[in-house]
Amino acid sequence: MIRKVLTEFSYVPAKLDRGYVNKTLYINVSDYKISEKPVTEMVKEKFIGGRGFGLWYLWNAVTPETKWDDSENEIIVSPGPVGGITQYPGAGKSLVVSLSPTTGTVVDSNVGGHFGPLLKFSGWDALEVQGKSEQDVVIFIDGNAGLVRIESLPELANDSHLLVEQLTDYYACNEEDKRSISIISAGSAADHTLIGMLNFSFYDSRRKAIRLKQAGRGGIGSVLRNKHIKAIVVKFAGVKGNLNNPADFNKIAKTGIKLHKEIKNGDDKQCQMRVRGTTYLVKIMNDYDLLPTYNFKYGSHSDGEKITAPHWVERFDLGKADGCWYGCTLSCCKVVGDFVLKTGPYQGQRVIMDAPEYETIAGVGSNCGIFDIDYIMECNFYCDTYGVDTISFGTLTAFLMECYENGILDQEKTGGLELKFGNGVAVLELLHQMSRGEGFGKIAGLGIRKCKEYFVKEYHADIDFLNDIGMEAKGMEYAEYVSKESLVQQGGFGLANKGPQHDEAWLIFMDMVNNQLPTFEDKAEALHYFPMFRTWLGLVGLCKLPWNDIVPEDNNRTAEPNKIPEHVQNYVDLFNAMTGRNIDIDEMLRQSERVYNFQRVFNLKMGFGTREHDSIPYRSVGPVTVEEYQSRQDRYDNQLVELLAYNPEGKSTADKLQVLRNYREGQYQKLIDAVYQRRGWTEQGIPKIETLQALGIDLPEVIAVVKKHLA
């Protein structure tokens, strides 16, 4: 392969000390500058690692005027101090932070795989990439040799499944050495859309195949390609379980063994994650009227059974290790071993791929009215290799389909695509157009918020209707849960710092399935505690699934079973054993609350982050159309009687829709008031100075931003 080395940087790889290397790597692809930066005690104390490090370094890199495609925007990758251990399940997470093309403000996305741990073992707590190259480049980090290079490799493919194969073969010395390599890449659609995502590769030695995990949300893949970065490669050979050099290795091992036993004894009786992965959620969501169908109009469908777990399990290549990092016995990421593509540039080829997760199944499947697992797998494969976020693509496409069915779009406007619900052929062609950067795919690739603006300007569409049915908030497309009957999940989506992604406040299961949040006060408190707790996992490099997808047998007998207290204590123990510190659960939450409030202020710095930015589309709160209301008329009529003492008899559906809407929108505003108060924010959603002081995040530059909004 033709290669030109553009610059080279040598360093002495440092050993880790209690989870930290105490150095970060800075690379600017505009002038090919490479340098190292020390990690100060202040940064470790206040930002911990992972998402916290990413937010801090980005804060210092950008100004309020910086846009996502400006050269000063950065992509930061950091695994956190606990990340990389092999004793506890789910410890391979990387957190990625950047300015988002779709929201205009800071976004974080988490991803499994090997990159974060290998980066850390190579001598870096975080990687900062800034600038914009004039040509496509590859960044190569060799953690054993102590070498960083920026290279030009012009013969590389665009799409990830080919690109990572080429680069793994190129940088590996032999078959065994492929395990030492992990690659970040995007794909051809990330060149032409704003919903591009990042693939993180790892080599599956048992299947002798490269697999891809995704940092999906917020369009960071589009940022990577806008910088003309083809790939970032890290190579480190010699992974062992003690490389983090923890303060108390035995404590980590003991905590890990406890959870491994729990998974072994409990998983078959609980989620069966080891066999079904997250596909088990499809049936539950469909049964509880929470599975999005037809652009979130409804929560269930008679064909929902066709995409439930048993049909997926038949296609999974089971019996081999399915964890995305060493030591994860929960093993949620499943593989389809032999799939023949039916469309697109790779039609007829046999591929191995990571199977669709619940979010993808619901997004490109049921939400688009398509209940065909072969179509869903095809769509999943092409989204991944093209570098498109499956959640944004599914929610966006469902919105376009409803626009089509309401006459806002037609075949003339879509260039011949018949975007009716259920038309998988049209959906795949839309995706291929995004890859080629042509036709209606180029317009759709702007995301829902910008599509709404385009449709109003070009097609004179009704903006109020589009705002009601366009399932986005803050510019990010919704994750795949129908929240109409779950006030707390409405808040979980609307109040999330980055937009409606479920990783910050996935409360719908405990609210609608387990009925653990019955009162208004329970819901408001949950919207304080759980976003803080879940944020913490992203500070240290841990996956959220081992927290609540397996629970101790006696969990229901604890005082707060929804928090799974034993697992929370596990995390405190892991952190203390790694760092040598002595925090308790309260301090753990303060660590998280500190970073969470900092991110809120970061949004303020970028011109967002006040109450109006926490508004949500009415489709996520209640029925928008007459047909939606009438589909669940008994439920809604009963609510009018029981909650409002309103007699629906003899009233038109339009009248009842409006009365229900007034009530539900009022409830959402009351919830915002309660959550803001609980979080120590003003009525406009601005963190109070005394809140920031109490948390110890009252840095002068932070206070300066807040004071502008309090004046």
Side-chain angles (χ1 to χ4, degrees), residues 19 41 51 79 156 163 165 172 313 319 336 415 450 459 516 521 539 552 599 612 636-637 659 680 698:
E41 289 302 313
R51 175 173 162 183
L156 293 173
L163 175 64
E165 256 191 36
V313 172
V336 176
K450 290 185 172 61
Y459 309 145
Q516 293 170 319
E521 290 73 22
L539 303 183
Q599 187 166 352
E612 65 266 30
Y636 296 136
D637 280 358
V659 172
D698 53 332

PDB file of all heavy atoms in Angstrom, residues 19 41 51 79 156 163 165 172 313 319 336 415 450 459 516 521 539 552 599 612 636-637 659 680 698:
ATOM      1  N   GLY A  19      -4.865   3.808  37.781  1.00  0.00           N
ATOM      2  CA  GLY A  19      -5.859   4.086  36.746  1.00  0.00           C
ATOM      3  C   GLY A  19      -5.538   5.242  35.848  1.00  0.00           C
ATOM      4  O   GLY A  19      -6.255   5.466  34.870  1.00  0.00           O
ATOM      5  N   GLU A  41      -3.840  17.487  38.986  1.00  0.00           N
ATOM      6  CA  GLU A  41      -4.671  16.935  40.065  1.00  0.00           C
ATOM      7  C   GLU A  41      -6.050  17.587  40.070  1.00  0.00           C
ATOM      8  O   GLU A  41      -7.046  16.947  40.386  1.00  0.00           O
ATOM      9  CB  GLU A  41      -3.978  17.146  41.413  1.00  0.00           C
ATOM     10  CG  GLU A  41      -2.755  16.271  41.619  1.00  0.00           C
ATOM     11  CD  GLU A  41      -3.068  14.778  41.505  1.00  0.00           C
ATOM     12  OE1 GLU A  41      -4.063  14.334  42.111  1.00  0.00           O
ATOM     13  OE2 GLU A  41      -2.322  14.077  40.807  1.00  0.00           O
ATOM     14  N   ARG A  51     -16.018  11.055  30.020  1.00  0.00           N
ATOM     15  CA  ARG A  51     -16.837  12.182  29.593  1.00  0.00           C
ATOM     16  C   ARG A  51     -16.384  13.483  30.256  1.00  0.00           C
ATOM     17  O   ARG A  51     -16.400  14.543  29.630  1.00  0.00           O
ATOM     18  CB  ARG A  51     -18.294  11.877  29.938  1.00  0.00           C
ATOM     19  CG  ARG A  51     -19.292  12.971  29.684  1.00  0.00           C
ATOM     20  CD  ARG A  51     -20.686  12.405  29.937  1.00  0.00           C
ATOM     21  NE  ARG A  51     -21.712  13.398  30.135  1.00  0.00           N
ATOM     22  CZ  ARG A  51     -22.994  13.121  30.438  1.00  0.00           C
ATOM     23  NH1 ARG A  51     -23.348  11.846  30.561  1.00  0.00           N
ATOM     24  NH2 ARG A  51     -23.884  14.065  30.605  1.00  0.00           N
ATOM     25  N   PRO A  79     -11.065   6.917  28.153  1.00  0.00           N
ATOM     26  CA  PRO A  79     -11.704   5.734  28.730  1.00  0.00           C
ATOM     27  C   PRO A  79     -12.056   5.839  30.213  1.00  0.00           C
ATOM     28  O   PRO A  79     -12.857   5.068  30.701  1.00  0.00           O
ATOM     29  CB  PRO A  79     -10.649   4.650  28.516  1.00  0.00           C
ATOM     30  CG  PRO A  79      -9.345   5.400  28.580  1.00  0.00           C
ATOM     31  CD  PRO A  79      -9.611   6.774  28.031  1.00  0.00           C
ATOM     32  N   LEU A 156      -6.997   3.683   0.503  1.00  0.00           N
ATOM     33  CA  LEU A 156      -7.947   3.104   1.461  1.00  0.00           C
ATOM     34  C   LEU A 156      -9.387   3.222   0.973  1.00  0.00           C
ATOM     35  O   LEU A 156      -9.767   4.186   0.302  1.00  0.00           O
ATOM     36  CB  LEU A 156      -7.818   3.800   2.814  1.00  0.00           C
ATOM     37  CG  LEU A 156      -6.516   3.588   3.576  1.00  0.00           C
ATOM     38  CD1 LEU A 156      -6.484   4.471   4.809  1.00  0.00           C
ATOM     39  CD2 LEU A 156      -6.356   2.118   3.961  1.00  0.00           C
ATOM     40  N   LEU A 163     -12.458  -0.679   5.201  1.00  0.00           N
ATOM     41  CA  LEU A 163     -11.365   0.170   5.686  1.00  0.00           C
ATOM     42  C   LEU A 163     -10.649  -0.457   6.884  1.00  0.00           C
ATOM     43  O   LEU A 163      -9.405  -0.505   6.930  1.00  0.00           O
ATOM     44  CB  LEU A 163     -11.942   1.540   6.067  1.00  0.00           C
ATOM     45  CG  LEU A 163     -11.003   2.546   6.716  1.00  0.00           C
ATOM     46  CD1 LEU A 163      -9.882   2.940   5.765  1.00  0.00           C
ATOM     47  CD2 LEU A 163     -11.783   3.797   7.150  1.00  0.00           C
ATOM     48  N   GLU A 165     -10.505  -3.539   7.753  1.00  0.00           N
ATOM     49  CA  GLU A 165      -9.784  -4.750   7.344  1.00  0.00           C
ATOM     50  C   GLU A 165      -8.445  -4.389   6.730  1.00  0.00           C
ATOM     51  O   GLU A 165      -7.402  -4.984   7.048  1.00  0.00           O
ATOM     52  CB  GLU A 165     -10.626  -5.536   6.329  1.00  0.00           C
ATOM     53  CG  GLU A 165     -11.286  -6.761   6.929  1.00  0.00           C
ATOM     54  CD  GLU A 165     -11.891  -7.648   5.847  1.00  0.00           C
ATOM     55  OE1 GLU A 165     -11.322  -7.782   4.745  1.00  0.00           O
ATOM     56  OE2 GLU A 165     -12.955  -8.179   6.138  1.00  0.00           O
ATOM     57  N   ALA A 172      -0.856  -4.903  11.416  1.00  0.00           N
ATOM     58  CA  ALA A 172      -0.575  -6.108  12.204  1.00  0.00           C
ATOM     59  C   ALA A 172       0.605  -6.868  11.624  1.00  0.00           C
ATOM     60  O   ALA A 172       0.734  -6.988  10.407  1.00  0.00           O
ATOM     61  CB  ALA A 172      -1.814  -7.007  12.245  1.00  0.00           C
ATOM     62  N   VAL A 313     -32.408 -14.878  17.756  1.00  0.00           N
ATOM     63  CA  VAL A 313     -31.523 -15.923  18.297  1.00  0.00           C
ATOM     64  C   VAL A 313     -31.250 -16.990  17.238  1.00  0.00           C
ATOM     65  O   VAL A 313     -30.136 -17.524  17.150  1.00  0.00           O
ATOM     66  CB  VAL A 313     -32.141 -16.534  19.575  1.00  0.00           C
ATOM     67  CG1 VAL A 313     -31.341 -17.743  20.033  1.00  0.00           C
ATOM     68  CG2 VAL A 313     -32.204 -15.484  20.686  1.00  0.00           C
ATOM     69  N   GLY A 319     -22.223 -19.272  21.145  1.00  0.00           N
ATOM     70  CA  GLY A 319     -21.249 -20.257  21.612  1.00  0.00           C
ATOM     71  C   GLY A 319     -19.826 -19.759  21.610  1.00  0.00           C
ATOM     72  O   GLY A 319     -18.902 -20.475  21.977  1.00  0.00           O
ATOM     73  N   VAL A 336     -24.093 -11.929  13.792  1.00  0.00           N
ATOM     74  CA  VAL A 336     -24.693 -12.696  12.702  1.00  0.00           C
ATOM     75  C   VAL A 336     -23.531 -13.114  11.799  1.00  0.00           C
ATOM     76  O   VAL A 336     -22.825 -12.262  11.247  1.00  0.00           O
ATOM     77  CB  VAL A 336     -25.717 -11.850  11.925  1.00  0.00           C
ATOM     78  CG1 VAL A 336     -26.245 -12.634  10.728  1.00  0.00           C
ATOM     79  CG2 VAL A 336     -26.867 -11.440  12.842  1.00  0.00           C
ATOM     80  N   GLY A 415     -37.568  12.493  -5.418  1.00  0.00           N
ATOM     81  CA  GLY A 415     -36.814  11.922  -6.535  1.00  0.00           C
ATOM     82  C   GLY A 415     -37.258  10.512  -6.864  1.00  0.00           C
ATOM     83  O   GLY A 415     -36.445   9.710  -7.329  1.00  0.00           O
ATOM     84  N   LYS A 450     -33.316  20.322  10.692  1.00  0.00           N
ATOM     85  CA  LYS A 450     -33.038  21.078   9.466  1.00  0.00           C
ATOM     86  C   LYS A 450     -33.991  20.672   8.339  1.00  0.00           C
ATOM     87  O   LYS A 450     -34.318  21.495   7.481  1.00  0.00           O
ATOM     88  CB  LYS A 450     -31.577  20.900   9.064  1.00  0.00           C
ATOM     89  CG  LYS A 450     -30.608  21.611  10.004  1.00  0.00           C
ATOM     90  CD  LYS A 450     -29.185  21.531   9.534  1.00  0.00           C
ATOM     91  CE  LYS A 450     -28.262  22.416  10.370  1.00  0.00           C
ATOM     92  NZ  LYS A 450     -28.214  22.042  11.812  1.00  0.00           N
ATOM     93  N   TYR A 459     -41.492  23.821   0.703  1.00  0.00           N
ATOM     94  CA  TYR A 459     -42.775  23.176   0.390  1.00  0.00           C
ATOM     95  C   TYR A 459     -43.939  23.820   1.135  1.00  0.00           C
ATOM     96  O   TYR A 459     -45.067  23.337   1.056  1.00  0.00           O
ATOM     97  CB  TYR A 459     -42.713  21.678   0.743  1.00  0.00           C
ATOM     98  CG  TYR A 459     -41.515  20.957   0.176  1.00  0.00           C
ATOM     99  CD1 TYR A 459     -40.899  19.927   0.886  1.00  0.00           C
ATOM    100  CD2 TYR A 459     -40.990  21.286  -1.077  1.00  0.00           C
ATOM    101  CE1 TYR A 459     -39.799  19.252   0.380  1.00  0.00           C
ATOM    102  CE2 TYR A 459     -39.889  20.611  -1.589  1.00  0.00           C
ATOM    103  CZ  TYR A 459     -39.298  19.610  -0.859  1.00  0.00           C
ATOM    104  OH  TYR A 459     -38.202  18.943  -1.365  1.00  0.00           O
ATOM    105  N   GLN A 516     -42.113   1.434  39.494  1.00  0.00           N
ATOM    106  CA  GLN A 516     -41.318   1.823  40.672  1.00  0.00           C
ATOM    107  C   GLN A 516     -41.318   3.331  40.930  1.00  0.00           C
ATOM    108  O   GLN A 516     -40.690   3.788  41.875  1.00  0.00           O
ATOM    109  CB  GLN A 516     -39.874   1.337  40.494  1.00  0.00           C
ATOM    110  CG  GLN A 516     -39.741  -0.188  40.522  1.00  0.00           C
ATOM    111  CD  GLN A 516     -38.364  -0.666  40.111  1.00  0.00           C
ATOM    112  OE1 GLN A 516     -37.767  -0.138  39.181  1.00  0.00           O
ATOM    113  NE2 GLN A 516     -37.855  -1.681  40.807  1.00  0.00           N
ATOM    114  N   GLU A 521     -43.597  13.066  42.909  1.00  0.00           N
ATOM    115  CA  GLU A 521     -42.355  13.296  43.643  1.00  0.00           C
ATOM    116  C   GLU A 521     -41.309  12.230  43.296  1.00  0.00           C
ATOM    117  O   GLU A 521     -40.118  12.530  43.177  1.00  0.00           O
ATOM    118  CB  GLU A 521     -42.629  13.294  45.154  1.00  0.00           C
ATOM    119  CG  GLU A 521     -43.428  14.492  45.649  1.00  0.00           C
ATOM    120  CD  GLU A 521     -44.913  14.439  45.255  1.00  0.00           C
ATOM    121  OE1 GLU A 521     -45.412  13.324  44.976  1.00  0.00           O
ATOM    122  OE2 GLU A 521     -45.549  15.501  45.212  1.00  0.00           O
ATOM    123  N   LEU A 539     -17.866   8.562  33.414  1.00  0.00           N
ATOM    124  CA  LEU A 539     -16.657   9.243  33.882  1.00  0.00           C
ATOM    125  C   LEU A 539     -15.513   8.256  34.110  1.00  0.00           C
ATOM    126  O   LEU A 539     -14.343   8.610  33.979  1.00  0.00           O
ATOM    127  CB  LEU A 539     -16.924   9.991  35.198  1.00  0.00           C
ATOM    128  CG  LEU A 539     -18.041  11.035  35.209  1.00  0.00           C
ATOM    129  CD1 LEU A 539     -18.116  11.721  36.566  1.00  0.00           C
ATOM    130  CD2 LEU A 539     -17.876  12.049  34.108  1.00  0.00           C
ATOM    131  N   PRO A 552     -29.153  -8.617  41.841  1.00  0.00           N
ATOM    132  CA  PRO A 552     -29.028  -9.667  42.872  1.00  0.00           C
ATOM    133  C   PRO A 552     -30.402 -10.284  43.191  1.00  0.00           C
ATOM    134  O   PRO A 552     -31.438  -9.615  43.081  1.00  0.00           O
ATOM    135  CB  PRO A 552     -28.480  -8.896  44.084  1.00  0.00           C
ATOM    136  CG  PRO A 552     -27.860  -7.668  43.515  1.00  0.00           C
ATOM    137  CD  PRO A 552     -28.670  -7.306  42.308  1.00  0.00           C
ATOM    138  N   GLN A 599     -21.515  20.491  32.300  1.00  0.00           N
ATOM    139  CA  GLN A 599     -22.004  20.325  30.926  1.00  0.00           C
ATOM    140  C   GLN A 599     -23.189  21.263  30.655  1.00  0.00           C
ATOM    141  O   GLN A 599     -23.335  21.791  29.548  1.00  0.00           O
ATOM    142  CB  GLN A 599     -22.406  18.871  30.664  1.00  0.00           C
ATOM    143  CG  GLN A 599     -22.753  18.601  29.205  1.00  0.00           C
ATOM    144  CD  GLN A 599     -22.811  17.118  28.872  1.00  0.00           C
ATOM    145  OE1 GLN A 599     -22.446  16.263  29.673  1.00  0.00           O
ATOM    146  NE2 GLN A 599     -23.271  16.793  27.676  1.00  0.00           N
ATOM    147  N   GLU A 612     -36.170  26.977  27.314  1.00  0.00           N
ATOM    148  CA  GLU A 612     -36.782  26.731  25.998  1.00  0.00           C
ATOM    149  C   GLU A 612     -36.090  25.589  25.257  1.00  0.00           C
ATOM    150  O   GLU A 612     -36.688  24.955  24.391  1.00  0.00           O
ATOM    151  CB  GLU A 612     -36.784  27.995  25.139  1.00  0.00           C
ATOM    152  CG  GLU A 612     -35.419  28.527  24.748  1.00  0.00           C
ATOM    153  CD  GLU A 612     -34.911  29.586  25.717  1.00  0.00           C
ATOM    154  OE1 GLU A 612     -35.266  29.519  26.923  1.00  0.00           O
ATOM    155  OE2 GLU A 612     -34.167  30.479  25.276  1.00  0.00           O
ATOM    156  N   TYR A 636     -57.714   7.297  26.852  1.00  0.00           N
ATOM    157  CA  TYR A 636     -57.686   8.762  26.939  1.00  0.00           C
ATOM    158  C   TYR A 636     -58.991   9.302  27.536  1.00  0.00           C
ATOM    159  O   TYR A 636     -58.976  10.242  28.345  1.00  0.00           O
ATOM    160  CB  TYR A 636     -57.428   9.375  25.565  1.00  0.00           C
ATOM    161  CG  TYR A 636     -56.077   9.026  24.977  1.00  0.00           C
ATOM    162  CD1 TYR A 636     -55.947   8.647  23.637  1.00  0.00           C
ATOM    163  CD2 TYR A 636     -54.929   9.073  25.764  1.00  0.00           C
ATOM    164  CE1 TYR A 636     -54.713   8.329  23.104  1.00  0.00           C
ATOM    165  CE2 TYR A 636     -53.684   8.747  25.239  1.00  0.00           C
ATOM    166  CZ  TYR A 636     -53.577   8.368  23.908  1.00  0.00           C
ATOM    167  OH  TYR A 636     -52.343   8.046  23.381  1.00  0.00           O
ATOM    168  N   ASP A 637     -60.128   8.713  27.148  1.00  0.00           N
ATOM    169  CA  ASP A 637     -61.408   9.168  27.727  1.00  0.00           C
ATOM    170  C   ASP A 637     -61.411   8.967  29.238  1.00  0.00           C
ATOM    171  O   ASP A 637     -61.866   9.846  29.993  1.00  0.00           O
ATOM    172  CB  ASP A 637     -62.575   8.403  27.095  1.00  0.00           C
ATOM    173  CG  ASP A 637     -62.968   8.948  25.719  1.00  0.00           C
ATOM    174  OD1 ASP A 637     -62.354   9.949  25.283  1.00  0.00           O
ATOM    175  OD2 ASP A 637     -63.872   8.361  25.090  1.00  0.00           O
ATOM    176  N   VAL A 659     -58.153  19.282  25.120  1.00  0.00           N
ATOM    177  CA  VAL A 659     -58.216  19.275  26.593  1.00  0.00           C
ATOM    178  C   VAL A 659     -57.091  18.412  27.160  1.00  0.00           C
ATOM    179  O   VAL A 659     -56.400  18.808  28.110  1.00  0.00           O
ATOM    180  CB  VAL A 659     -59.594  18.760  27.071  1.00  0.00           C
ATOM    181  CG1 VAL A 659     -59.592  18.570  28.584  1.00  0.00           C
ATOM    182  CG2 VAL A 659     -60.696  19.721  26.656  1.00  0.00           C
ATOM    183  N   GLY A 680     -31.047  22.382  41.889  1.00  0.00           N
ATOM    184  CA  GLY A 680     -30.429  23.636  42.310  1.00  0.00           C
ATOM    185  C   GLY A 680     -30.263  24.610  41.159  1.00  0.00           C
ATOM    186  O   GLY A 680     -29.280  25.362  41.105  1.00  0.00           O
ATOM    187  N   ASP A 698     -17.086  25.800  40.908  1.00  0.00           N
ATOM    188  CA  ASP A 698     -17.196  27.254  40.768  1.00  0.00           C
ATOM    189  C   ASP A 698     -15.894  27.854  40.235  1.00  0.00           C
ATOM    190  O   ASP A 698     -15.355  28.821  40.810  1.00  0.00           O
ATOM    191  CB  ASP A 698     -17.592  27.894  42.095  1.00  0.00           C
ATOM    192  CG  ASP A 698     -16.671  27.482  43.243  1.00  0.00           C
ATOM    193  OD1 ASP A 698     -16.098  26.376  43.177  1.00  0.00           O
ATOM    194  OD2 ASP A 698     -16.533  28.270  44.199  1.00  0.00           O
TER     195      ASP A 698
END
